[in-house]
Amino acid sequence: RSDPSYALGRLFLKERSVKAFALMTICFLMFAAARIVSFALMILGVSGELELRIISLVRAPIDFLASILLLASIAILYSVTRRSGRM
C-alpha cells in the first residue's frame, strides 16, 4: 500500500509539480475566459445564429485547448506522485 504522505511530500519536492500547478491555473483561467464570452454575449443581447457562430468560433476552441492542457497537467502530477518500481 502506498503512503499518502509520501505522495503529498513529492508534490512539494519536485519542480515539475510547480509547473503542473501553474499550468492547471492557466487552464482554469481559460475556462473562466470562455464563460466570460458567453456572459458577454448574453449581456450584449446577441442571440440566434450570430451567438452560435461566436460560441463555435471562440468559446469551443478555448474550452478544447484548456481541456488538453488540464489533462497534461494532471498527467504530470500523476507522474510526480506515483511510486517507482524500485521500492
Side-chain angles (χ1 to χ4, degrees), residues 34-52:
R35 296 310 166 271
I36 289 171
V37 168
S38 296
F39 285 124
L41 291 175
M42 187 175 65
I43 290 171
L44 295 174
V46 178
S47 63
E49 185 66 32
L50 181 60
E51 178 187 22
L52 294 176

Side-chain angles (χ1 to χ4, degrees), residues 53-68:
R53 190 166 180 85
I54 291 172
I55 286 175
S56 67
L57 291 176
V58 176
R59 186 180 136 187
I62 292 173
D63 281 342
F64 179 72
L65 182 61
S67 299
I68 297 298

